[in-house]
């Protein structure tokens, strides 16, 4: 049902020429597809969302879409591809001064590094994420990153 709603939203945004709405609708479709474990659809929607975000030239949205592509690859345990997408998200977010997106990208770079047993790199990026999440007063993210840093200490 969520997918139908997001497809209707996408259609409306396409008809009225709202490029930002189109990009966001694709990201919502990604979430719906991930909820059904439909990785193929999630990836297809994410790529269309990336194209839409690039057309409207919104760095925050582009960075968020690269992060979403990274999450898809992370879920598939395609660590190299996930890392590449998270690094691209971080680069774009950093250039745009988009702290929430940058903090999130750093967190996921840290998570993937932890999965790959690259503990020093994991610590570095998780600490960067922690600083940004603290500045953003995002308590839930701070707690999650603290837990990840504790995992680093145990390895």
């Amino acid at each position: 049902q969520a997918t139908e709603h997001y497809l209707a939203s996408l259609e409306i945004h396409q008809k009225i020429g709202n490029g930002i709405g189109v990009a966001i609708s694709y990201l919502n479709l990604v979430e719906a597809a991930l909820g059904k474990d439909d990785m193929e659809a999630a990836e297809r929607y994410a790529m269309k969302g990336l194209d839409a975000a690039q057309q409207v030239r919104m760095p925050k949205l582009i960075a968020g879409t690269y992060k979403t592509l990274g999450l898809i690859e992370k879920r598939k345990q395609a660590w190299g591809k996930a890392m590449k997408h998270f690094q691209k998200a971080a680069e774009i977010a950093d250039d745009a001064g988009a702290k929430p997106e940058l903090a999130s990208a750093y967190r996921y770079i840290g998570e993937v590094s932890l999965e790959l047993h690259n503990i020093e790199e994991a610590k570095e990026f998780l600490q960067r994420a922690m600083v940004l999440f603290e500045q953003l007063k995002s308590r839930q993210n701070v707690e999650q990153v603290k837990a990840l840093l504790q995992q680093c200490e145990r390895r």
Side-chain angles (χ1 to χ4, degrees):
Q1 193 171 6
T3 301
E4 291 171 18
H5 170 77
Y6 295 138
L7 285 169
S9 174
L10 173 64
E11 186 178 341
I12 290 166
H13 289 296
Q14 286 172 327
K15 281 182 183 176
I16 64 172
N18 179 359
I20 294 169
V22 168
I24 292 169
S25 292
Y26 277 124
L27 289 178
N28 289 333
L29 284 162
V30 170
E31 293 298 320
L34 289 174
K36 295 186 216 172
D37 268 338
D38 186 347
M39 303 309 274
E40 189 177 308
E43 196 164 1
R44 187 174 64 250
Y45 290 136
M47 292 307 295
K48 289 181 179 182
L50 179 60
D51 184 50
Q54 289 172 330
Q55 285 181 24
V56 294
R57 294 185 175 93
M58 280 195 66
K60 284 183 180 184
L61 200 50
I62 296 167
T65 307
Y66 273 110
K67 180 194 79 174
T68 299
L69 283 163
L71 290 171
I72 292 166
E73 297 301 337
K74 182 176 178 269
R75 204 159 180 187
K76 296 190 303 190
Q77 298 184 345
W79 306 119
K81 287 181 180 180
M83 183 66 85
K84 193 170 115 186
H85 290 309
F86 293 140
Q87 288 169 335
K88 185 71 173 173
E91 176 188 323
I92 293 167
D94 193 24
D95 288 347
K99 276 188 186 180
E101 291 78 7
L102 182 58
S104 184
Y106 283 165
R107 173 202 171 148
Y108 290 119
I109 290 169
E111 283 187 25
V112 171
S113 297
L114 187 59
E115 286 290 337
L116 296 173
H117 304 286
N118 188 340
I119 304 306
E120 290 309 309
E121 183 176 84
K123 282 185 196 176
E124 176 190 339
F125 281 96
L126 291 170
Q127 287 167 348
R128 288 183 190 183
M130 175 75 81
V131 168
L132 291 171
F133 283 133
E134 285 173 342
Q135 289 173 3
L136 295 164
K137 298 183 182 353
S138 179
R139 285 192 181 101
Q140 184 179 5
N141 282 308
V142 167
E143 293 306 313
Q144 291 170 349
V145 172
K146 277 183 185 176
L148 291 165
L149 282 165
Q150 288 171 352
Q151 286 181 37
C152 289
E153 296 304 322
R154 290 193 293 266
R155 291 191 182 191

